[in-house]
Amino acid sequence: PAVLQAIQQLKGMPDQPVDRLAALASDRRQMVRDKALYALGGLDADQGVPTLLGALEDERARVAIYALRAAVLE
């Protein structure tokens, strides 16, 4: 739970650390990975889109497609 809360806090920071969220998007723990992917989709200025596009090529695609949708709709 602490890691998931930290991901939410990283997403809300004014100068979002995209590299940290991108690293968590490849974490071995599925829940952490999924939460980081969703957080990348909600970043301003589409900063997380490159990582989400890369995630479409592996098992993370099921979450990345929804996170990309959120980024595109903004």
Side-chain angles (χ1 to χ4, degrees):
V3 175
L4 299 179
Q5 185 178 10
I7 291 171
Q8 201 59 25
Q9 290 174 345
L10 285 173
K11 178 185 170 195
M13 293 178 76
D15 187 20
Q16 294 104 352
V18 178
D19 55 340
R20 289 183 187 249
L21 285 174
L24 288 170
S26 297
D27 196 271
R28 62 176 176 79
R29 298 168 289 187
Q30 182 179 354
M31 186 177 282
V32 171
R33 185 176 60 224
D34 292 352
K35 186 75 168 180
L37 287 169
Y38 280 121
L40 285 168
L43 293 180
D44 294 337
D46 299 329
Q47 297 167 329
V49 171
T51 303
L52 292 171
L53 289 174
L56 290 175
E57 299 177 4
D58 55 34
E59 70 276 354
R60 301 174 296 163
R62 64 177 180 73
V63 175
I65 193 74
Y66 293 109
L68 268 172
R69 181 180 184 273
V72 169
L73 289 177
E74 286 185 20

